[in-house]
Amino acid sequence: MPNAIVDLRSDTVSQPTAEMRARMATAVVGDDVYGEDPTINELEAKTAAIFGKEAGLFVPSGTMGNLLAIMVHCHKRGAEALVGDLSHIFLYEQGGASHLAGVQLATLKNEPDGTFCLTELRRRIRHDDYHEPITSLVVVENTHNICGGKVIPLAFLDELANLLRQPGVGCAPIALHMDGARVFNAAAALGVSVARICRDFDSVSICLSKGLSAPVGSVLVGSQRFISQARRLRKALGGGMRQAGILAAAGLVALEEVVPLLGKDHERTKRIANAIHNLQSPNITVDLDTVQSNILLIEIKQSQLTGSEFAERLAQVEPEELAAGVTAKDGSGIVLKASARDWAFARVVLYHQVDDEQVELAIKKLTYVIGQYDQRWPRS
């Protein structure tokens, strides 16, 4: 009998919905490089309107969207962009800003809530000095992945924008870009529109293929001039996809039908967090106050256990747990997939296809495995 699999490694493993598949099959398409794909044009215009921006650009990935934003905003030689030291752009996009765009990334220490110190930011902005690069861009990630799906406070975003508008800040205008791969999750958590969150940002990259369940793609939004420049550079990066309205059709469904349901993902994430918290384990814990969206960091307090080892155990089914009734309704074992690298935590991420039944299976598995560790290392 095959095991029941609950895959919570990332919301990137989400599957396109039945409505997405139907709309993809009947999508009206054209050559997007000529600007003649009506479905892509609709997606770009709709996304831009939702964010209160002038125009949008459909791109294959969030990594390309972020890179294009850096390339447009940092077009002068010797440009520098300020990013968080735990940001996706800095950690997980292969340093594309440097080796493809020729832009230097300088890091600011991310606080646990995903923000960074604005006093430090002000100090790091370059002066009009021939020895220094030119500060051209500041990037905010929202929600913040490695900080555990943290929602960046509106007050911080407002203060950041006000700081960069002050006369004499920097030797050239400094743009603001949001890596908004999960910004719809931020909006759901705050109960405000994405337009409000991104009001003061010059550009935003939005992922359609994470929690929004589309199979492929992101949309970059900004001014008409910004998007015109980004569209030109997209061609150089190999991002012209011709009859890609088949993919854009799924993105339209994501905006219409999946975005309104993101709050349910947050509720289910909180249920798993509460279940772990209630175990009061000395070895594996969560901080309930920091669970804000669809990402949960499970903290490993036991020095003899790593996040990777914990994740590996969750993905195994031992005979003893079957005998203990740690099974699905049909008696099959439970394989729970979580993410872990060299972190002091394991990460689980919920998305559209993770329903209440799968949440209960995840809780059952976590309860049993954490109990095993607590027997091995009881509270002293």
Side-chain angles (χ1 to χ4, degrees):
M1 179 184 301
N3 293 314
I5 298 176
V6 183
D7 194 344
L8 304 183
R9 289 172 296 168
S10 174
D11 44 8
T12 61
V13 304
S14 60
Q15 296 283 313
T17 66
E19 178 61 21
M20 287 180 185
R21 294 173 188 270
R23 294 269 286 274
M24 290 170 73
T26 59
V28 180
V29 299
D31 191 323
D32 181 51
V33 176
Y34 286 115
E36 296 175 354
D37 190 303
T39 308
I40 290 180
N41 293 343
E42 181 183 358
L43 174 64
E44 292 173 343
K46 186 180 184 71
T47 307
I50 290 172
F51 280 81
K53 305 301 181 187
E54 293 178 357
L57 180 67
F58 185 52
V59 295
S61 69
T63 295
M64 183 180 286
N66 286 331
L67 179 59
L68 287 171
I70 291 171
M71 293 173 77
V72 174
H73 293 309
C74 302
H75 61 279
K76 292 183 179 179
R77 292 181 66 84
E80 179 177 76
L82 291 168
V83 303
D85 67 338
L86 297 178
S87 66
H88 196 277
I89 284 177
F90 181 65
L91 293 177
Y92 301 125
E93 298 184 9
Q94 286 198 13
S98 59
H99 78 257
L100 295 175
V103 176
Q104 175 168 293
L105 295 181
T107 60
L108 300 161
K109 183 181 183 300
N110 276 119
E111 302 295 339
D113 66 353
T115 65
F116 38 77
C117 176
L118 294 181
T119 301
E120 175 69 4
L121 169 67
R122 181 67 182 85
R123 189 184 71 80
R124 297 287 297 279
I125 293 174
R126 304 289 185 162
H127 302 289
D128 189 7
D129 186 324
Y130 292 158
H131 299 86
E132 297 183 348
I134 302 167
T135 304
S136 303
L137 177 66
V138 174
V139 181
V140 175
E141 184 177 327
N142 194 15
T143 62
H144 200 290
N145 176 17
I146 293 300
C147 289
K150 296 300 189 301
V151 178
I152 307 302
L154 290 176
F156 171 83
L157 300 178
D158 292 346
E159 192 175 353
L160 169 62
N162 290 334
L163 168 63
L164 296 183
R165 289 197 198 102
Q166 290 176 7
V169 173
C171 57
I174 302 173
L176 265 177
H177 172 67
M178 181 175 288
D179 177 359
R182 298 181 176 92
V183 69
F184 279 110
N185 291 93
L190 291 174
V192 302
S193 69
V194 290
R196 169 61 185 93
I197 292 172
C198 304
R199 181 187 65 193
D200 298 315
F201 282 74
D202 299 285
S203 58
V204 187
S205 177
I206 309 103
C207 186
L208 302 171
S209 63
K210 290 186 170 69
L212 301 193
S213 289
V216 177
S218 289
V219 180
L220 182 64
V221 297
S223 67
Q224 289 281 3
R225 177 177 173 79
F226 169 84
I227 291 299
S228 177
Q229 293 171 319
R231 189 179 298 276
R232 180 179 181 82
L233 290 168
R234 183 188 69 172
K235 190 73 173 70
L237 295 180
M241 296 184 289
R242 305 299 178 180
Q243 289 76 23
I246 292 172
L247 302 175
L252 287 167
V253 177
L255 296 177
E256 297 161 6
E257 298 187 4
V258 181
V259 167
L261 302 177
L262 291 176
K264 294 184 180 296
D265 297 337
H266 298 186
E267 292 169 6
R268 290 173 174 136
T269 305
K270 196 79 169 183
R271 279 171 54 193
I272 295 175
N274 279 319
I276 297 172
H277 174 76
N278 291 339
L279 296 175
Q280 292 296 295
S281 168
N283 301 298
I284 297 170
T285 65
V286 297
D287 183 352
L288 288 182
D289 292 336
T290 66
V291 183
Q292 299 176 359
S293 59
N294 66 322
I295 298 177
L296 172 62
L297 301 186
I298 304 173
E299 300 176 33
I300 312 299
K301 298 295 188 181
Q302 172 54 247
S303 61
Q304 299 181 61
L305 179 68
T306 67
S308 295
E309 289 169 340
F310 179 56
E312 288 171 8
R313 174 62 188 92
L314 291 172
Q316 298 168 354
V317 176
E318 297 179 347
E320 294 80 6
E321 66 190 78
L322 296 176
V326 184
T327 63
K329 290 179 180 179
D330 62 2
S332 60
I334 303 170
V335 171
L336 176 57
K337 296 183 178 183
S339 288
R341 300 191 183 189
D342 55 348
W343 307 325
F345 56 85
R347 185 192 74 167
V348 298
V349 188
L350 276 72
Y351 49 92
H352 188 59
Q353 284 79 31
V354 180
D355 58 18
D356 290 334
E357 181 179 352
Q358 287 199 308
V359 166
E360 291 306 313
L361 292 178
I363 290 172
K364 185 182 287 190
K365 181 75 173 197
L366 285 161
T367 300
Y368 180 82
V369 171
I370 293 172
Q372 280 188 320
Y373 289 126
D374 290 348
Q375 288 179 356
R376 184 184 306 176
W377 298 298
R379 190 185 303 275
S380 58

